[in-house]
């Protein structure tokens, strides 16, 4: 399966900065080939210009969130059809920052995942335990529960659909302290087993991918994203600069070639 690198730009850049960085990235990946899926998720406000900047580029556009309904009285929300209109192909759902600061619940995440799939968007569903939960050795049960709940309304992915799950331990996000490769690998196996139970081995192997996120950088990405482990990475800080994004891509390409 083709590996994937997803950059989550969070609320870090202006529209002009986003365009500037995408322009540099676009040039940087020009001779890169098609060995790695590349997805950049700018702020909503930059999506339209990002779409224009990325026309005919290999880089795909992602959103950082979406609402589940297509249309209606939902002040401040953005629908899957509005995202499709802007050329968005992927959407991050249930990021821990949304769960923590905006009260996003498993139920809300489940509705979003179902809706994204129904509207032809590729979901990147985030799950991850807190430091406290890990100290209590609850990480496996927390992840299984979060994932089962997030996928409770979602039918199996169809033939040309993908569903990604990102394991992002909350204590590793933005801290410079990633999960150890052994910790991350164990959790990947837990996620794969949960996906197999939900969708069956065949679909779990071919239509689902597992990403690692949390303080990924160009030095450590090869510990996680490799043919016998994670299929990709969801990166915050390291995905913000074109040069580090390209270094991450190069590492993935080397691992998978
Ligand atoms: P980080 O963020 O790479 O800066 O730790 C990851 C994320 O929040 O997705």
């Amino acid at each position: 399966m083709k590996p994937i690198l997803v950059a989550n730009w969070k609320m870090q850049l202006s529209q002009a900065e986003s365009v500037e960085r995408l322009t540099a990235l676009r040039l940087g990946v020009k001779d890169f080939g098609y060995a790695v899926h590349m997805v950049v998720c700018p702020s909503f406000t930059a999506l339209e210009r990002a779409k224009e900047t990325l026309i005919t580029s290999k880089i795909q556009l992602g959103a950082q969130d979406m609402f589940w309904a297509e249309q209606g009285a939902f002040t401040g929300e953005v629908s899957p059809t509005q995202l499709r209109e802007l050329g968005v192909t992927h959407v991050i759902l249930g990021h821990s920052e949304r769960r923590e600061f905006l009260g996003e619940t498993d139920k809300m995440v489940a509705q979003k995942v179902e809706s994204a799939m129904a509207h032809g968007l590729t979901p990147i569903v985030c799950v991850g335990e807190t430091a406290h939960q890990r100290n209590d050795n609850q990480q496996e049960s927390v992840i299984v529960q979060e994932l089962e709940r997030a996928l409770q309304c979602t039918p199996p992915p169809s033939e040309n659909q993908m569903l990604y799950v990102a394991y992002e331990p909350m204590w590793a996000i933005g801290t410079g302290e990633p999960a150890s490769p052994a910790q991350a690998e164990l959790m990947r196996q837990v996620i794969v087993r949960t996906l197999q139970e939900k969708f069956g081995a065949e679909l779990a192997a071919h239509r689902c991918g597992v990403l690692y996120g949390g303080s990924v950088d160009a030095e450590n990405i090869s510990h996680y994203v490799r043919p016998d482990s994670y299929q990709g990475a969801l990166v915050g800080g390291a995905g913000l600069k074109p040069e580090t994004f390209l270094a991450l891509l190069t590492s993935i390409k080397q691992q998978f070639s």
Side-chain angles (χ1 to χ4, degrees), residues 8 10 95 97 168 172-175 213-216 234-238:
N8 173 9
K10 307 195 178 184
H95 191 282
E97 285 152 13
E168 295 206 307
I173 294 177
T175 59
S215 296
V216 170
L234 176 56
V235 299

Side-chain angles (χ1 to χ4, degrees), residues 57-114:
S57 152
K58 293 166 191 156
I59 301 167
Q60 292 179 287
L61 201 53
Q64 299 173 18
D65 180 39
M66 71 166 220
F67 193 66
W68 54 82
E70 245 179 49
Q71 202 208 350
F74 301 105
T75 302
E77 294 299 320
V78 177
S79 80
T81 38
Q82 289 171 325
L83 292 180
R84 293 277 315 238
E85 198 178 20
L86 291 168
V88 168
T89 54
H90 293 66
V91 60
I92 298 172
L93 297 173
H95 191 282
S96 62
E97 285 152 13
R98 297 199 56 81
R99 295 179 192 257
E100 190 182 357
F101 305 126
L102 292 146
E104 197 157 300
T105 62
D106 289 333
K107 170 109 194 292
M108 291 157 84
V109 178
Q111 292 179 90
K112 292 179 180 193
V113 180
E114 180 191 21

Side-chain angles (χ1 to χ4, degrees), residues 49-189:
R49 298 237 2 240
K51 178 191 177 192
E52 289 159 13
T53 311
L54 293 178
I55 281 174
T56 72
S57 152
K58 293 166 191 156
I59 301 167
Q60 292 179 287
L61 201 53
Q64 299 173 18
D65 180 39
M66 71 166 220
F67 193 66
W68 54 82
E70 245 179 49
Q71 202 208 350
F74 301 105
T75 302
E77 294 299 320
V78 177
S79 80
T81 38
Q82 289 171 325
L83 292 180
R84 293 277 315 238
E85 198 178 20
L86 291 168
V88 168
T89 54
H90 293 66
V91 60
I92 298 172
L93 297 173
H95 191 282
S96 62
E97 285 152 13
R98 297 199 56 81
R99 295 179 192 257
E100 190 182 357
F101 305 126
L102 292 146
E104 197 157 300
T105 62
D106 289 333
K107 170 109 194 292
M108 291 157 84
V109 178
Q111 292 179 90
K112 292 179 180 193
V113 180
E114 180 191 21
S115 172
M117 299 281 280
H119 288 89
L121 290 160
T122 303
I124 300 158
V125 186
C126 302
V127 293
E129 81 283 2
T130 63
H132 184 72
Q133 288 164 333
R134 182 162 279 270
N135 289 338
D136 285 351
N137 205 25
Q138 289 175 342
Q139 63 275 13
E140 293 190 22
S141 56
V142 167
I143 289 336
V144 169
Q145 193 183 63
E146 247 183 3
L147 190 53
E148 280 175 350
R149 288 184 178 169
L151 301 181
Q152 63 187 325
C153 322
T154 304
S158 62
E159 206 167 303
N160 39 28
Q161 267 186 326
M162 277 301 289
L163 181 147
Y164 292 106
V165 177
Y167 170 58
E168 295 206 307
M170 284 168 75
W171 46 272
I173 294 177
T175 59
E177 283 180 36
S180 73
Q183 288 172 326
E185 177 52 24
L186 234 152
M187 297 310 287
R188 186 189 70 85
Q189 289 170 13

